[in-house]
Amino acid sequence: MADRTSDEKTIRAAKEMLAESIRGLGAYHLNACVKCGLCGESCHIFLTEPDPENLPGVKAWKVMQHYRRHHTLLGRLAPRVAGARELTPATLDELVDTVYGRCTACGRCGLHCTIGLDIGAVIRVGRHMLAAVDKVPAGLQRTVDNQLETGNQMAIPRDEFLATTEWLADDLRLEMEDDTVRLPVDEKGARALYLVNPREVKFFPLSLMAAAGVFHRAKESWTLSSRFYDVTNYGFYSGDNGVGGELTRRVMDEAKSLGVEEVILSECGHGFRSFRWEGPNWIEERYPIPMRSVLELVEEYLDTGRIRVDPSKNQRRVTLHDPCNLVRWGGVSEPQRRILKRVVNDFEEMTPNRADNFCCGGGGGMLSMTEYGERRVTSGRVKADQIRNTGAKIVATPCHNCADQLLEITKHYKLGTEIVAVVELVYDALV
Amino acid sequence: MRIAAALALLWAVLALLYQVVLARGGGRTDYSVRAGHSGRGVLYAFTTAMLPTHKESVRHHPGKFAVGLLLHVGVLAALLEIVLLVAGVAVGWPWGVLALLALPAGIYLAVRRRVSPVLRAMNAPDDYVAIVAVCALLVMAALSAFGIVAPAVLLGYAVPFLVYLPLGKLRHVIFFFVARADLGRRLGYRGTLPLAAERNHGGQD
């Protein structure tokens, strides 16, 4: 009896979320597929594992079946004819593998779809439903919980964060031979609040150090926050817009309390998309304080002469990986190119690139879900081939999530490349 | 029969429009600050983005795409033939040629739907109903245009066809435009579309 009640609650919650998440957006795309099956070549997962279950159209269809059952006349009257599927705990369980394990929601297939179907948005409808009924894969949900409970996705204690900023400042003072270099934390009245990926604090401090060095040279008035410094937003990946909104609100409140004029987002694809584009809609208000990418800020420094660079300091060939959420879904494709062309001597584009790029394989929260690790690395072969074809020794990527995946595929596919953030190359080129 | 066909046509148009309104669900305010132009994104989505150089699904499958295009030309001609007949305008044999040329394309797509493993993974009876109904429409339109059967036969077939059209897969007749416009609008707003001029899409792949 208790199980039945629980199942009914689950189904009700999933139905409500389905209705909510298609409002004004997904329903167009849930109605338009002609199932032509021509989308395979646009998907890095299908290309490396050509199982029909990995075809973007098939993945979208599995979400559409539920839509058809509950939101179309034919699906209600003749579900078998419509191919409609009832929402049940079992069908929801089946959906987990499809929307979390076989798709990074990179959205490349949408650009190449014969119709123009936003398959990424359809997959996200599936994720919304599963998040509403607590069926997010455990690893991904743990990261979401960390972020909610501790303020950062890696659950780094505040003391550890502060200690890291202190030793980074020490190192930077030595490296720049300048005793005035600082990594300011919680400084009220600073012009800009800089959000970073906790991975920069824990594993890749060089990018945070490089950003601090560039800010120092540009005489920027900036600060980190010891409470809410996390640029990532795992509510976006899990499909929980409530969490996404909560994390957005915390950062905006922190920015207000520090009195900053703008929020600068570190190199993070989904973080940029979440804060810049989705966040205002999650909290249903216009930001009182603007946000932009650190790439846009650094380009401004270069344009206005606030920093000067010498590209001969970066002699090795560099290529650029375009994070899907920054470029395709964020609209930031050119600042990083213009920066790289000024700070390195030999820049080579990948093919394809910009909004047409392939996902590295680590998007959509894949890196948090160990159960899909093998598929993630296999799907990274497309990106590995792209990198190899450039002959580059360095891959610059404005995303720490992508960087993790690129590091792994570099090792797995023996690429011999170094993975760096764009700001690191800028720092190396400073004069 | 003309009145019945006219009513079926009216039903199809109204039901399609109703579904679009329903799908819009009142819409949502976008609270983010735009970086580009929605209108330019929509225009791009319906022009440059449709070119084989910019759309992999076409570039990799030119034959299948051409077949699909041919089918749609024939279907549109057949639908127009119905509209003209409902309006009391006589239709000549060229309409039948268009329908007849499109028929092999329809048959090819029906067979492909049955044999392709990737299509079978997402097929539903509705998909077969749609392609068979469309092939039958082409046959009726051709026979009527060539004067082999009376226009009333085509109009008689048009009634159940038009009643079914907004219910199943064939409703993409309107959702194609709405979905593509929506994608163009959102990516235009964010500044992604139109794609940068220097874009290297790997047209040689």
Side-chain angles (χ1 to χ4, degrees), chain B residues 1-192:
Chain B
M1 198 51 77
R2 268 176 60 196
I3 293 171
L7 287 174
L9 197 58
L10 187 66
W11 148 262
V13 171
L14 291 179
L16 286 171
L17 291 175
Y18 173 71
Q19 286 183 84
V20 171
V21 172
L22 207 63
R24 186 164 184 271
R28 279 185 175 177
T29 305
D30 195 333
Y31 292 94
S32 60
V33 177
R34 74 179 174 89
H37 302 272
S38 296
R40 284 177 63 197
V42 174
L43 183 66
Y44 181 87
F46 281 103
T47 51
T48 313
M50 304 277 282
L51 298 173
T53 47
H54 287 66
K55 199 152 84 168
E56 260 175 16
S57 51
V58 179
R59 195 160 68 240
H60 286 295
H61 305 277
K64 293 186 187 100
F65 181 74
V67 166
L69 212 58
L70 183 62
L71 174 72
H72 283 84
V73 169
V75 172
L76 283 176
L79 288 173
L80 202 56
E81 189 179 332
I82 291 169
V83 173
L84 290 171
L85 290 176
V86 166
V89 178
V91 171
W93 62 268
W95 294 94
V97 174
L98 283 174
L100 211 57
L101 284 175
L103 187 59
I107 294 168
Y108 166 77
L109 291 176
V111 172
R112 178 170 174 259
R113 184 151 295 288
R114 183 78 195 114
V115 299
S116 161
V118 288
L119 294 191
R120 276 161 54 184
M122 56 178 159
N123 274 341
D126 175 41
D127 297 298
Y128 294 108
V129 172
I131 192 70
V132 170
V134 159
C135 288
L137 174 74
L138 294 171
V139 171
M140 294 292 178
L143 293 177
S144 169
F146 289 131
I148 297 170
V149 299
V153 175
L154 173 60
L155 291 178
Y157 176 74
V159 174
F161 180 84
L162 290 169
V163 167
Y164 165 72
L165 188 141
L167 300 179
K169 173 195 185 165
L170 295 179
R171 64 180 183 270
H172 74 263
V173 66
I174 196 160
F175 277 105
F176 160 74
F177 296 99
V178 180
R180 181 160 280 275
D182 183 61
L183 187 66
R185 177 186 65 79
R186 284 188 290 122
L187 290 181
Y189 188 85
R190 294 183 181 196
T192 303

Side-chain angles (χ1 to χ4, degrees), chain A residues 20-25 27-39 41-42 46 52-53 55 57-58 61-62 67-68 71-74 80-83 108 110-118 121 273 276-278 280-281 284-287 327-331 333-334 349-356 358, chain B residues 11 19-36 49-50 54-61 64-65 72 112-113 117-119 121-127 129 164 167-169 171-172 175-176 178-180 182-183 185-187 189-193 195-196 198-205:
Chain A
E20 168 61 19
S21 59
I22 61 174
R23 185 167 61 87
L25 174 69
Y28 296 147
H29 301 275
L30 287 152
N31 280 296
C33 186
V34 294
K35 301 189 200 167
C36 65
L38 304 184
C39 44
E41 288 85 357
S42 302
F46 184 82
E53 293 291 308
L55 190 85
V58 172
W61 169 237
K62 289 180 188 284
Y67 169 80
R68 283 198 172 194
H71 291 272
T72 68
L73 186 61
L74 192 65
R80 281 197 178 180
V81 176
R108 188 173 190 275
L111 283 190
H112 292 288
C113 172
T114 52
I115 295 291
L117 197 74
D118 184 353
R273 177 177 174 181
R276 173 68 177 82
W277 295 110
E278 315 295 348
N281 296 319
E284 297 189 334
E285 64 179 57
R286 287 229 164 190
Y287 290 153
V327 177
R328 190 156 39 243
W329 295 104
S333 67
E334 301 313 302
E349 287 278 12
M350 285 188 204
T351 304
N353 57 50
R354 295 182 169 88
D356 205 17
F358 275 103
Chain B
W11 148 262
Q19 286 183 84
V20 171
V21 172
L22 207 63
R24 186 164 184 271
R28 279 185 175 177
T29 305
D30 195 333
Y31 292 94
S32 60
V33 177
R34 74 179 174 89
M50 304 277 282
H54 287 66
K55 199 152 84 168
E56 260 175 16
S57 51
V58 179
R59 195 160 68 240
H60 286 295
H61 305 277
K64 293 186 187 100
F65 181 74
H72 283 84
R112 178 170 174 259
R113 184 151 295 288
V118 288
L119 294 191
M122 56 178 159
N123 274 341
D126 175 41
D127 297 298
V129 172
Y164 165 72
L167 300 179
K169 173 195 185 165
R171 64 180 183 270
H172 74 263
F175 277 105
F176 160 74
V178 180
R180 181 160 280 275
D182 183 61
L183 187 66
R185 177 186 65 79
R186 284 188 290 122
L187 290 181
Y189 188 85
R190 294 183 181 196
T192 303
L193 297 182
L195 293 179
E198 308 94 325
R199 170 180 168 274
N200 183 350
H201 51 71
Q204 72 277 25
D205 58 4

Side-chain angles (χ1 to χ4, degrees), chain A residues 189-204:
Chain A
R191 194 194 70 78
L193 169 64
Y194 186 49
L195 302 186
V196 299
N197 189 316
R199 307 185 100 74
E200 295 180 76
V201 179
K202 194 94 175 166
F203 302 125
F204 304 105

Side-chain angles (χ1 to χ4, degrees), chain A residues 150-169:
Chain A
T150 69
N152 72 85
Q153 51 132 314
M154 299 191 79
I156 301 168
R158 186 165 180 266
D159 289 349
E160 189 180 329
F161 172 77
L162 291 171
T164 303
T165 58
E166 277 168 26
W167 70 254
L168 281 178

